[in-house]
mmCIF file of all heavy atoms in Angstrom:
data_model
loop_
_atom_site.group_PDB
_atom_site.id
_atom_site.type_symbol
_atom_site.label_atom_id
_atom_site.label_comp_id
_atom_site.label_asym_id
_atom_site.label_seq_id
_atom_site.Cartn_x
_atom_site.Cartn_y
_atom_site.Cartn_z
ATOM 1 N N ALA H 23 -37.770 -18.126 10.128
ATOM 2 C CA ALA H 23 -37.163 -17.162 11.010
ATOM 3 C C ALA H 23 -35.974 -16.512 10.378
ATOM 4 O O ALA H 23 -35.628 -15.362 10.654
ATOM 5 C CB ALA H 23 -36.773 -17.782 12.348
ATOM 6 N N VAL H 24 -35.293 -17.207 9.452
ATOM 7 C CA VAL H 24 -34.083 -16.667 8.826
ATOM 8 C C VAL H 24 -34.497 -15.718 7.682
ATOM 9 O O VAL H 24 -33.721 -14.832 7.286
ATOM 10 C CB VAL H 24 -33.227 -17.818 8.327
ATOM 11 C CG1 VAL H 24 -32.079 -17.305 7.522
ATOM 12 C CG2 VAL H 24 -32.715 -18.648 9.493
ATOM 13 N N LYS H 25 -35.581 -15.846 7.104
ATOM 14 C CA LYS H 25 -36.005 -15.065 5.938
ATOM 15 C C LYS H 25 -36.093 -13.585 6.358
ATOM 16 O O LYS H 25 -36.524 -13.221 7.406
ATOM 17 C CB LYS H 25 -37.430 -15.475 5.525
ATOM 18 C CG LYS H 25 -37.756 -15.078 4.155
ATOM 19 C CD LYS H 25 -39.069 -15.735 3.741
ATOM 20 C CE LYS H 25 -39.091 -15.878 2.189
ATOM 21 N NZ LYS H 25 -40.289 -16.458 1.788
ATOM 22 N N TYR H 26 -35.508 -12.728 5.450
ATOM 23 C CA TYR H 26 -35.452 -11.310 5.761
ATOM 24 C C TYR H 26 -35.836 -10.557 4.385
ATOM 25 O O TYR H 26 -35.399 -10.950 3.408
ATOM 26 C CB TYR H 26 -33.989 -10.861 6.143
ATOM 27 C CG TYR H 26 -33.909 -9.398 6.482
ATOM 28 C CD1 TYR H 26 -34.298 -8.957 7.729
ATOM 29 C CD2 TYR H 26 -33.339 -8.541 5.561
ATOM 30 C CE1 TYR H 26 -34.154 -7.653 7.990
ATOM 31 C CE2 TYR H 26 -33.230 -7.200 5.878
ATOM 32 C CZ TYR H 26 -33.640 -6.768 7.110
ATOM 33 O OH TYR H 26 -33.529 -5.450 7.423
ATOM 34 N N ASP H 27 -36.584 -9.573 4.591
ATOM 35 C CA ASP H 27 -37.013 -8.730 3.538
ATOM 36 C C ASP H 27 -36.218 -7.537 3.360
ATOM 37 O O ASP H 27 -36.250 -6.614 4.155
ATOM 38 C CB ASP H 27 -38.529 -8.266 3.716
ATOM 39 C CG ASP H 27 -39.021 -7.584 2.546
ATOM 40 O OD1 ASP H 27 -38.648 -7.867 1.377
ATOM 41 O OD2 ASP H 27 -39.993 -6.708 2.692
ATOM 42 N N TRP H 28 -35.234 -7.530 2.396
ATOM 43 C CA TRP H 28 -34.301 -6.441 2.198
ATOM 44 C C TRP H 28 -34.950 -5.236 1.667
ATOM 45 O O TRP H 28 -35.774 -5.307 0.712
ATOM 46 C CB TRP H 28 -33.166 -6.837 1.231
ATOM 47 C CG TRP H 28 -32.273 -7.962 1.745
ATOM 48 C CD1 TRP H 28 -32.391 -9.317 1.627
ATOM 49 C CD2 TRP H 28 -31.184 -7.713 2.682
ATOM 50 N NE1 TRP H 28 -31.407 -9.912 2.339
ATOM 51 C CE2 TRP H 28 -30.673 -9.001 2.955
ATOM 52 C CE3 TRP H 28 -30.543 -6.628 3.207
ATOM 53 C CZ2 TRP H 28 -29.542 -9.154 3.757
ATOM 54 C CZ3 TRP H 28 -29.464 -6.787 3.997
ATOM 55 C CH2 TRP H 28 -28.969 -8.073 4.275
ATOM 56 N N GLN H 29 -34.751 -4.139 2.139
ATOM 57 C CA GLN H 29 -35.260 -2.843 1.728
ATOM 58 C C GLN H 29 -34.320 -2.119 0.855
ATOM 59 O O GLN H 29 -33.550 -1.224 1.215
ATOM 60 C CB GLN H 29 -35.597 -1.925 2.957
ATOM 61 C CG GLN H 29 -36.601 -2.542 3.983
ATOM 62 C CD GLN H 29 -37.954 -2.676 3.381
ATOM 63 O OE1 GLN H 29 -38.426 -1.839 2.599
ATOM 64 N NE2 GLN H 29 -38.636 -3.856 3.647
ATOM 65 N N TRP H 30 -34.266 -2.477 -0.407
ATOM 66 C CA TRP H 30 -33.315 -1.913 -1.450
ATOM 67 C C TRP H 30 -33.584 -0.487 -1.700
ATOM 68 O O TRP H 30 -32.820 0.179 -2.276
ATOM 69 C CB TRP H 30 -33.337 -2.795 -2.693
ATOM 70 C CG TRP H 30 -32.875 -4.194 -2.423
ATOM 71 C CD1 TRP H 30 -33.588 -5.395 -2.385
ATOM 72 C CD2 TRP H 30 -31.398 -4.583 -2.223
ATOM 73 N NE1 TRP H 30 -32.783 -6.424 -2.100
ATOM 74 C CE2 TRP H 30 -31.462 -5.975 -2.004
ATOM 75 C CE3 TRP H 30 -30.240 -3.911 -2.191
ATOM 76 C CZ2 TRP H 30 -30.287 -6.721 -1.810
ATOM 77 C CZ3 TRP H 30 -29.091 -4.658 -1.924
ATOM 78 C CH2 TRP H 30 -29.152 -6.004 -1.785
ATOM 79 N N SER H 31 -34.814 -0.050 -1.407
ATOM 80 C CA SER H 31 -35.166 1.330 -1.737
ATOM 81 C C SER H 31 -34.346 2.317 -0.909
ATOM 82 O O SER H 31 -34.385 3.554 -1.212
ATOM 83 C CB SER H 31 -36.608 1.529 -1.544
ATOM 84 O OG SER H 31 -36.994 1.340 -0.137
ATOM 85 N N ILE H 32 -33.672 1.890 0.165
ATOM 86 C CA ILE H 32 -32.895 2.789 0.979
ATOM 87 C C ILE H 32 -31.764 3.473 0.078
ATOM 88 O O ILE H 32 -31.451 4.610 0.399
ATOM 89 C CB ILE H 32 -32.285 2.069 2.172
ATOM 90 C CG1 ILE H 32 -31.539 3.028 3.128
ATOM 91 C CG2 ILE H 32 -31.200 1.048 1.753
ATOM 92 C CD1 ILE H 32 -32.538 3.768 3.958
ATOM 93 N N PHE H 33 -31.342 2.817 -0.911
ATOM 94 C CA PHE H 33 -30.236 3.430 -1.702
ATOM 95 C C PHE H 33 -30.726 4.608 -2.540
ATOM 96 O O PHE H 33 -29.898 5.449 -2.861
ATOM 97 C CB PHE H 33 -29.666 2.393 -2.662
ATOM 98 C CG PHE H 33 -28.894 1.296 -1.981
ATOM 99 C CD1 PHE H 33 -29.350 -0.046 -1.999
ATOM 100 C CD2 PHE H 33 -27.785 1.557 -1.203
ATOM 101 C CE1 PHE H 33 -28.669 -1.025 -1.344
ATOM 102 C CE2 PHE H 33 -27.115 0.590 -0.580
ATOM 103 C CZ PHE H 33 -27.492 -0.759 -0.631
ATOM 104 N N SER H 34 -31.992 4.693 -2.792
ATOM 105 C CA SER H 34 -32.517 5.886 -3.623
ATOM 106 C C SER H 34 -32.994 6.978 -2.684
ATOM 107 O O SER H 34 -33.364 8.031 -3.134
ATOM 108 C CB SER H 34 -33.600 5.428 -4.537
ATOM 109 O OG SER H 34 -34.691 4.854 -3.738
ATOM 110 N N GLN H 35 -32.985 6.832 -1.388
ATOM 111 C CA GLN H 35 -33.384 7.803 -0.390
ATOM 112 C C GLN H 35 -32.285 8.840 -0.154
ATOM 113 O O GLN H 35 -31.127 8.470 -0.275
ATOM 114 C CB GLN H 35 -33.843 7.169 0.869
ATOM 115 C CG GLN H 35 -35.098 6.319 0.742
ATOM 116 C CD GLN H 35 -35.478 5.656 2.054
ATOM 117 O OE1 GLN H 35 -34.831 5.884 3.061
ATOM 118 N NE2 GLN H 35 -36.411 4.737 1.976
ATOM 119 N N MET H 36 -32.714 9.979 0.173
ATOM 120 C CA MET H 36 -31.741 11.051 0.495
ATOM 121 C C MET H 36 -30.941 10.697 1.766
ATOM 122 O O MET H 36 -31.485 10.098 2.685
ATOM 123 C CB MET H 36 -32.428 12.359 0.730
ATOM 124 C CG MET H 36 -33.006 13.030 -0.496
ATOM 125 S SD MET H 36 -31.771 13.382 -1.730
ATOM 126 C CE MET H 36 -31.002 14.773 -1.012
ATOM 127 N N ALA H 37 -29.714 10.975 1.723
ATOM 128 C CA ALA H 37 -28.770 10.728 2.919
ATOM 129 C C ALA H 37 -29.119 11.608 4.084
ATOM 130 O O ALA H 37 -29.974 12.597 3.907
ATOM 131 C CB ALA H 37 -27.321 10.834 2.528
ATOM 132 N N ALA H 38 -28.539 11.382 5.190
ATOM 133 C CA ALA H 38 -28.869 12.055 6.388
ATOM 134 C C ALA H 38 -28.579 13.615 6.259
ATOM 135 O O ALA H 38 -29.275 14.421 6.811
ATOM 136 C CB ALA H 38 -28.133 11.489 7.614
ATOM 137 N N ASP H 39 -27.499 13.933 5.553
ATOM 138 C CA ASP H 39 -27.175 15.383 5.454
ATOM 139 C C ASP H 39 -27.891 16.057 4.267
ATOM 140 O O ASP H 39 -27.785 17.240 4.133
ATOM 141 C CB ASP H 39 -25.671 15.519 5.322
ATOM 142 C CG ASP H 39 -25.088 14.888 4.048
ATOM 143 O OD1 ASP H 39 -25.865 14.293 3.261
ATOM 144 O OD2 ASP H 39 -23.889 15.021 3.839
ATOM 145 N N GLY H 40 -28.602 15.289 3.439
ATOM 146 C CA GLY H 40 -29.401 15.864 2.393
ATOM 147 C C GLY H 40 -28.702 16.314 1.152
ATOM 148 O O GLY H 40 -29.172 17.015 0.303
ATOM 149 N N THR H 41 -27.359 15.865 0.985
ATOM 150 C CA THR H 41 -26.603 16.260 -0.145
ATOM 151 C C THR H 41 -26.603 15.227 -1.316
ATOM 152 O O THR H 41 -26.147 15.579 -2.367
ATOM 153 C CB THR H 41 -25.136 16.524 0.256
ATOM 154 O OG1 THR H 41 -24.594 15.318 0.775
ATOM 155 C CG2 THR H 41 -24.943 17.692 1.218
ATOM 156 N N GLY H 42 -27.191 14.144 -1.092
ATOM 157 C CA GLY H 42 -27.263 13.128 -2.136
ATOM 158 C C GLY H 42 -27.907 11.924 -1.585
ATOM 159 O O GLY H 42 -28.317 11.831 -0.461
ATOM 160 N N THR H 43 -27.981 10.890 -2.496
ATOM 161 C CA THR H 43 -28.610 9.575 -1.993
ATOM 162 C C THR H 43 -27.523 8.707 -1.359
ATOM 163 O O THR H 43 -26.327 8.956 -1.581
ATOM 164 C CB THR H 43 -29.215 8.900 -3.196
ATOM 165 O OG1 THR H 43 -28.213 8.555 -4.125
ATOM 166 C CG2 THR H 43 -30.338 9.692 -3.940
ATOM 167 N N TRP H 44 -28.013 7.676 -0.799
ATOM 168 C CA TRP H 44 -27.066 6.709 -0.152
ATOM 169 C C TRP H 44 -26.254 5.968 -1.254
ATOM 170 O O TRP H 44 -25.101 5.607 -0.986
ATOM 171 C CB TRP H 44 -27.891 5.706 0.744
ATOM 172 C CG TRP H 44 -28.405 6.368 2.017
ATOM 173 C CD1 TRP H 44 -29.737 6.519 2.275
ATOM 174 C CD2 TRP H 44 -27.588 6.827 3.098
ATOM 175 N NE1 TRP H 44 -29.786 7.112 3.513
ATOM 176 C CE2 TRP H 44 -28.591 7.328 4.040
ATOM 177 C CE3 TRP H 44 -26.298 6.909 3.418
ATOM 178 C CZ2 TRP H 44 -28.216 7.929 5.265
ATOM 179 C CZ3 TRP H 44 -25.877 7.515 4.603
ATOM 180 C CH2 TRP H 44 -26.848 7.920 5.491
ATOM 181 N N LEU H 45 -26.843 5.744 -2.361
ATOM 182 C CA LEU H 45 -26.097 5.111 -3.507
ATOM 183 C C LEU H 45 -24.946 5.987 -3.918
ATOM 184 O O LEU H 45 -23.811 5.520 -4.159
ATOM 185 C CB LEU H 45 -27.043 4.752 -4.593
ATOM 186 C CG LEU H 45 -26.444 4.048 -5.777
ATOM 187 C CD1 LEU H 45 -25.796 2.728 -5.285
ATOM 188 C CD2 LEU H 45 -27.428 3.833 -6.886
ATOM 189 N N GLN H 46 -25.195 7.269 -4.033
ATOM 190 C CA GLN H 46 -24.128 8.215 -4.389
ATOM 191 C C GLN H 46 -22.952 8.170 -3.326
ATOM 192 O O GLN H 46 -21.819 8.244 -3.694
ATOM 193 C CB GLN H 46 -24.701 9.618 -4.534
ATOM 194 C CG GLN H 46 -25.571 9.787 -5.705
ATOM 195 C CD GLN H 46 -26.260 11.106 -5.785
ATOM 196 O OE1 GLN H 46 -26.499 11.680 -4.739
ATOM 197 N NE2 GLN H 46 -26.541 11.636 -6.961
ATOM 198 N N TYR H 47 -23.378 8.068 -2.034
ATOM 199 C CA TYR H 47 -22.292 7.993 -1.030
ATOM 200 C C TYR H 47 -21.540 6.740 -1.205
ATOM 201 O O TYR H 47 -20.277 6.736 -1.107
ATOM 202 C CB TYR H 47 -22.976 7.981 0.326
ATOM 203 C CG TYR H 47 -23.080 9.307 0.995
ATOM 204 C CD1 TYR H 47 -23.420 10.514 0.267
ATOM 205 C CD2 TYR H 47 -22.914 9.485 2.339
ATOM 206 C CE1 TYR H 47 -23.531 11.693 0.818
ATOM 207 C CE2 TYR H 47 -23.062 10.729 2.926
ATOM 208 C CZ TYR H 47 -23.343 11.830 2.153
ATOM 209 O OH TYR H 47 -23.472 13.091 2.747
ATOM 210 N N LEU H 48 -22.178 5.621 -1.434
ATOM 211 C CA LEU H 48 -21.440 4.343 -1.661
ATOM 212 C C LEU H 48 -20.535 4.389 -2.880
ATOM 213 O O LEU H 48 -19.363 3.969 -2.805
ATOM 214 C CB LEU H 48 -22.435 3.188 -1.794
ATOM 215 C CG LEU H 48 -23.077 2.663 -0.498
ATOM 216 C CD1 LEU H 48 -24.168 1.697 -0.809
ATOM 217 C CD2 LEU H 48 -22.068 2.093 0.444
ATOM 218 N N LEU H 49 -21.021 4.932 -3.948
ATOM 219 C CA LEU H 49 -20.203 5.009 -5.179
ATOM 220 C C LEU H 49 -19.025 5.962 -5.006
ATOM 221 O O LEU H 49 -17.938 5.751 -5.471
ATOM 222 C CB LEU H 49 -21.082 5.369 -6.353
ATOM 223 C CG LEU H 49 -22.128 4.355 -6.789
ATOM 224 C CD1 LEU H 49 -23.011 4.922 -7.975
ATOM 225 C CD2 LEU H 49 -21.476 3.028 -7.203
ATOM 226 N N GLY H 50 -19.256 7.089 -4.279
ATOM 227 C CA GLY H 50 -18.168 8.027 -3.958
ATOM 228 C C GLY H 50 -17.079 7.319 -3.111
ATOM 229 O O GLY H 50 -15.898 7.441 -3.344
ATOM 230 N N GLY H 51 -17.553 6.530 -2.160
ATOM 231 C CA GLY H 51 -16.615 5.793 -1.335
ATOM 232 C C GLY H 51 -15.856 4.797 -2.136
ATOM 233 O O GLY H 51 -14.589 4.555 -1.943
ATOM 234 N N LEU H 52 -16.511 4.117 -3.149
ATOM 235 C CA LEU H 52 -15.748 3.200 -3.975
ATOM 236 C C LEU H 52 -14.685 3.897 -4.753
ATOM 237 O O LEU H 52 -13.593 3.357 -4.928
ATOM 238 C CB LEU H 52 -16.808 2.454 -4.787
ATOM 239 C CG LEU H 52 -16.213 1.495 -5.893
ATOM 240 C CD1 LEU H 52 -15.609 0.331 -5.169
ATOM 241 C CD2 LEU H 52 -17.302 1.016 -6.833
ATOM 242 N N VAL H 53 -15.088 5.033 -5.312
ATOM 243 C CA VAL H 53 -14.065 5.731 -6.158
ATOM 244 C C VAL H 53 -12.850 6.186 -5.299
ATOM 245 O O VAL H 53 -11.753 6.019 -5.713
ATOM 246 C CB VAL H 53 -14.777 6.990 -6.830
ATOM 247 C CG1 VAL H 53 -13.735 7.947 -7.437
ATOM 248 C CG2 VAL H 53 -15.771 6.554 -7.824
ATOM 249 N N TRP H 54 -13.132 6.693 -4.100
ATOM 250 C CA TRP H 54 -11.988 7.115 -3.216
ATOM 251 C C TRP H 54 -11.154 5.909 -2.865
ATOM 252 O O TRP H 54 -9.952 5.982 -2.718
ATOM 253 C CB TRP H 54 -12.492 7.866 -2.041
ATOM 254 C CG TRP H 54 -12.741 9.313 -2.351
ATOM 255 C CD1 TRP H 54 -13.937 9.898 -2.362
ATOM 256 C CD2 TRP H 54 -11.768 10.305 -2.519
ATOM 257 N NE1 TRP H 54 -13.777 11.261 -2.669
ATOM 258 C CE2 TRP H 54 -12.458 11.540 -2.788
ATOM 259 C CE3 TRP H 54 -10.359 10.336 -2.598
ATOM 260 C CZ2 TRP H 54 -11.750 12.724 -3.046
ATOM 261 C CZ3 TRP H 54 -9.733 11.462 -2.887
ATOM 262 C CH2 TRP H 54 -10.428 12.616 -3.166
ATOM 263 N N SER H 55 -11.795 4.809 -2.545
ATOM 264 C CA SER H 55 -11.045 3.614 -2.228
ATOM 265 C C SER H 55 -10.192 3.101 -3.335
ATOM 266 O O SER H 55 -9.005 2.778 -3.164
ATOM 267 C CB SER H 55 -12.003 2.460 -1.825
ATOM 268 O OG SER H 55 -12.670 2.792 -0.630
ATOM 269 N N LEU H 56 -10.711 3.119 -4.554
ATOM 270 C CA LEU H 56 -9.889 2.626 -5.708
ATOM 271 C C LEU H 56 -8.811 3.657 -5.979
ATOM 272 O O LEU H 56 -7.663 3.208 -6.371
ATOM 273 C CB LEU H 56 -10.792 2.559 -6.937
ATOM 274 C CG LEU H 56 -11.828 1.441 -6.876
ATOM 275 C CD1 LEU H 56 -12.711 1.507 -8.083
ATOM 276 C CD2 LEU H 56 -11.147 0.104 -6.795
ATOM 277 N N CYS H 57 -8.987 4.953 -5.908
ATOM 278 C CA CYS H 57 -7.936 5.981 -6.149
ATOM 279 C C CYS H 57 -6.817 5.770 -5.080
ATOM 280 O O CYS H 57 -5.625 5.866 -5.278
ATOM 281 C CB CYS H 57 -8.483 7.401 -5.995
ATOM 282 S SG CYS H 57 -9.479 7.833 -7.436
#
Side-chain angles (χ1 to χ4, degrees):
V24 174
K25 199 172 205 179
Y26 183 78
D27 185 27
W28 293 94
Q29 300 294 323
W30 295 103
S31 62
I32 188 75
F33 292 117
S34 62
Q35 294 176 5
M36 289 299 286
D39 63 358
T41 59
T43 64
W44 290 111
L45 182 61
Q46 290 172 331
Y47 268 38
L48 283 173
L49 293 177
L52 176 66
V53 168
W54 277 109
S55 296
L56 292 175
C57 289

